[in-house]
Amino acid sequence: MATARCCPADCALRSDWEDELHAEKEMLQENRVREMDRLLKLLAHPLRLRIILMLLNRDHCVCEFFYVFEEPRSLISYNLKKLRDGGLIESYYRSNHRIYRLNDAMVPVIRKITGVVSG
């Protein structure tokens, strides 16, 4: 754990202190915080989180979600759309079936948030 420093008087220390604070300020930019907030809100809904956890293992057909969750189709479809519009998942067609998969760019983020190391 780093030691706490506050407004050091020594010029050399002050420069390091300012560099650290500048890096923290960059991390807290409004657009970055807003994006994290958006992702966390998408994952905060229990059904959406369960969908994401299923997709960590493999791609799934929409009918598999209907079978596993035993929820109204409209509710599952609504939450799949929210995840797709939010950029967390993608869909494609195989034959006449719509298949859902995680967005490749989101897999490391989701694994970090959920603590799931491998599928």
Side-chain angles (χ1 to χ4, degrees), residues 3 5 10 14 19 24 33 53 79 82-83 91 99 106:
T3 59
R5 294 188 307 250
D10 183 359
R14 185 168 184 86
D19 290 345
E24 288 177 1
V33 171
L53 291 171
N79 283 289
K82 293 286 274 187
L83 290 169
S91 66
I99 309 296
M106 298 308 301

Side-chain angles (χ1 to χ4, degrees), residues 62 84 90-100:
V62 68
R84 194 174 68 237
E90 303 167 340
S91 66
Y92 60 94
Y93 283 94
R94 185 182 314 140
S95 203
N96 289 335
H97 300 281
R98 178 171 259 180
I99 309 296
Y100 289 88

Side-chain angles (χ1 to χ4, degrees), residues 96-111:
N96 289 335
H97 300 281
R98 178 171 259 180
I99 309 296
Y100 289 88
R101 65 185 297 276
L102 287 177
N103 179 332
D104 289 337
M106 298 308 301
V107 172
V109 174
I110 292 167
R111 288 197 189 285

Side-chain angles (χ1 to χ4, degrees), residues 1-6 16-17 20-21 24:
M1 187 170 143
T3 59
R5 294 188 307 250
C6 183
D16 291 345
W17 175 78
E20 287 176 11
L21 285 179
E24 288 177 1

